[in-house]
Amino acid sequence: MFIIDLFAKTGLETLYFTGVIILAGLLLGILETQSNRNFHKGLGRNAIMVTGIVGTPVHELSHALTALLFGHKITAIKLFQRPDRDGVMGYVNHAYNPKNIYHQVGNFFIGIAPIFGGLLVIMALLALLLPQVLESFMGVVTQSMAVEALSLESLKGVFSAYGELLKLIFASENFKKGRFYLFLFLAICISSHISLSPADIKGAFKGLVFIFLVLLILNAIGLFQSILAVDILRYNVLMTSFLMIAVIFSLIAFGISLICRIFAR
């Protein structure tokens, strides 16, 4: 019974820490696939290169920097190229020691790196081009982090952050600023290439298995009891708040692609 409880507890903890990220990655993948399909049908096969010239280098550099952080060796890298037959516009090949747990756990973070790399760049662009939007949004996120328990009110607070972000970005005064259009273009380019490729998912899954095993060992020897439920809840609120930035701009990119496809008929 102890073994069953141990595995069940570890499985739930792994889900708590990675579930939101995995779910966001899947949603971003669906949006990107549909957007690229719409752009292809509406503007031609080379249309994706317009967004790819910005988004693909951010995607690949995220992989590369995270790989170096986890001690992997970069063996080959291509930041941007014309799409090949499989639609690949860039790649990072890396080698590691399969007997090294740190290297193996790193596979998960290397796999999901484009999501967070893209988010960091979008946040940096907000700070540079629309600083008042970033400041206001961070205030809303901070308020959401005060949640003590999962409830209807706490969920409303989280979703209000997303609505507030949209209002702040698309405020009428922003449409009078040239830097707003620059930010919007760059953010759409990045979010259009922020999702995970099949190779990314495969690599991330390898790391996820080792994350589970590490948590399993910590639980077995009783070193994981200090993590409180409220801390996990706040962690997920924080992660969701920032991941939704990527989802929002991916939705915008999808909307634009759909308009291009409709008017191209």
Side-chain angles (χ1 to χ4, degrees):
M1 195 66 181
F2 170 76
I3 297 297
I4 296 175
D5 290 341
L6 180 63
F7 271 81
K9 182 176 185 294
T10 304
L12 283 173
E13 288 169 349
T14 305
L15 183 62
Y16 289 152
F17 283 109
T18 63
V20 173
I21 301 171
I22 294 171
L23 184 61
L26 292 173
L27 179 57
L28 289 168
I30 293 171
L31 289 171
E32 181 176 325
T33 299
Q34 293 302 317
S35 296
N36 290 343
R37 187 173 298 164
N38 290 337
F39 279 129
H40 177 85
K41 290 185 177 295
L43 301 176
R45 62 177 300 177
N46 292 324
I48 190 177
M49 293 188 68
V50 175
T51 57
I53 199 168
V54 175
T56 302
V58 171
H59 183 113
E60 302 306 337
L61 281 172
S62 300
H63 282 313
L65 292 174
T66 310
L68 292 174
L69 180 64
F70 280 92
H72 290 218
K73 180 181 178 180
I74 305 297
T75 57
I77 183 170
K78 189 78 171 182
L79 295 182
F80 182 69
Q81 64 182 17
R82 294 182 67 88
D84 61 17
R85 284 184 295 180
D86 297 321
V88 175
M89 300 179 70
Y91 57 84
V92 174
N93 296 334
H94 51 99
Y96 62 94
N97 181 1
K99 296 180 181 178
N100 188 310
I101 294 179
Y102 183 66
H103 289 184
Q104 288 282 15
V105 169
N107 280 321
F108 175 76
F109 296 97
I110 295 167
I112 66 170
I115 296 176
F116 292 97
L119 275 174
L120 285 174
V121 175
I122 291 175
M123 298 290 283
L125 288 171
L126 271 175
L128 181 65
L129 300 173
L130 299 171
Q132 72 283 359
V133 173
L134 179 61
E135 183 179 352
S136 299
F137 176 68
M138 290 303 296
V140 175
V141 172
T142 301
Q143 291 178 6
S144 300
M145 286 293 293
V147 62
E148 295 289 342
L150 187 61
S151 64
L152 183 59
E153 287 302 315
S154 63
L155 289 175
K156 285 181 180 178
V158 172
F159 282 102
S160 71
Y162 313 148
E164 190 65 24
L165 177 62
L166 285 172
K167 290 178 184 177
L168 292 169
I169 292 174
F170 294 101
S172 57
E173 60 267 22
N174 284 338
F175 286 92
K176 303 173 185 177
K177 304 172 183 176
R179 62 179 182 270
F180 165 73
Y181 296 98
L182 176 61
F183 166 77
L184 198 60
F185 171 72
L186 293 175
I188 288 173
C189 287
I190 294 167
S191 62
S192 295
H193 297 270
I194 207 171
S195 70
L196 310 182
S197 68
D200 296 341
I201 294 171
K202 182 179 179 181
F205 181 75
K206 290 180 182 178
L208 184 63
V209 171
F210 274 83
I211 289 175
F212 175 85
L213 292 176
V214 170
L215 292 177
L216 184 68
I217 293 170
L218 291 175
N219 279 322
I221 60 180
L223 292 180
F224 206 66
Q225 303 301 320
S226 59
I227 302 297
L228 302 177
V230 66
D231 294 326
I232 294 176
L233 178 59
R234 286 173 178 167
Y235 160 81
N236 278 285
V237 168
L238 180 64
M239 293 297 295
T240 304
S241 297
F242 285 108
L243 287 170
M244 279 304 295
I245 296 176
V247 173
I248 285 171
F249 283 103
S250 291
L251 284 168
I252 293 171
F254 170 74
I256 292 173
S257 72
L258 192 59
I259 292 172
C260 291
R261 181 173 180 174
I262 291 172
F263 280 94
R265 290 178 178 177

